[in-house]
Amino acid sequence: MNEALRYVFVGVLNTIVGYGMYYIGIRFWGLHFAVASAISQIIGTLHSYIWNRKFTFRSRDSSPWEFVRFVSVYVVQYLVNVSVLAALLALFSITEELAGAIAMCFGVLVSFLGHKFWSFKNRLE
């Protein structure tokens, strides 16, 4: 399985974990949606880091800077996502849902390339 397919697999798995934690927080723990969302974001980011580090990119870097690079990619991805979303809504007569789906495609590409060439640059080939 190549890196791109492993990345998609981890992304699907991470979506299940992240949304699962959000759902459990809301439905079973009675948390406010913002608290449940924050918890799911933290758990999702850690889950994504571990799986992408070990499985997708097979990194050899053991420094804490790798995690900092990882999080910085998500910051850039968020900024790209919001920018594309805003541009699509300003320029085209489409729904927020459709604009969000299109913007997400850009975000996935940015995060894959960012993790491949920045976060996990010391990966096994």
Side-chain angles (χ1 to χ4, degrees):
M1 184 184 303
N2 69 22
E3 272 182 348
L5 288 177
R6 290 192 308 259
Y7 188 77
V8 169
F9 172 78
V10 170
V12 169
L13 185 60
N14 200 59
T15 300
I16 292 167
V17 168
Y19 185 76
M21 288 307 306
Y22 175 78
Y23 185 84
I24 288 168
I26 294 289
R27 295 289 172 220
F28 298 108
W29 297 340
L31 299 176
H32 185 275
F33 73 87
V35 174
S37 180
I39 290 169
S40 73
Q41 184 69 34
I42 291 166
I43 291 171
T45 299
L46 292 173
H47 178 269
S48 179
Y49 174 72
I50 292 166
W51 274 87
N52 279 307
R53 181 179 194 279
K54 298 289 187 183
F55 178 70
T56 305
F57 299 107
R58 301 176 179 161
S59 175
R60 295 175 288 174
D61 190 346
S62 60
S63 76
W65 291 110
E66 182 181 76
F67 184 72
V68 172
R69 291 190 306 264
F70 182 84
V71 171
S72 73
V73 168
Y74 276 119
V75 170
V76 171
Q77 177 198 16
Y78 172 77
L79 295 173
V80 167
N81 190 54
V82 168
S83 299
V84 170
L85 184 58
L88 289 170
L89 292 172
L91 298 173
F92 302 102
S93 295
I94 59 176
T95 66
E96 290 177 347
E97 292 81 6
L98 178 58
I102 294 168
M104 184 174 49
C105 294
F106 285 92
V108 168
L109 180 62
V110 166
S111 67
F112 175 74
L113 294 173
H115 291 319
K116 180 176 176 119
F117 296 111
W118 173 248
S119 300
F120 302 111
K121 63 183 179 179
N122 294 321
R123 65 193 185 281
L124 297 174
E125 297 296 330

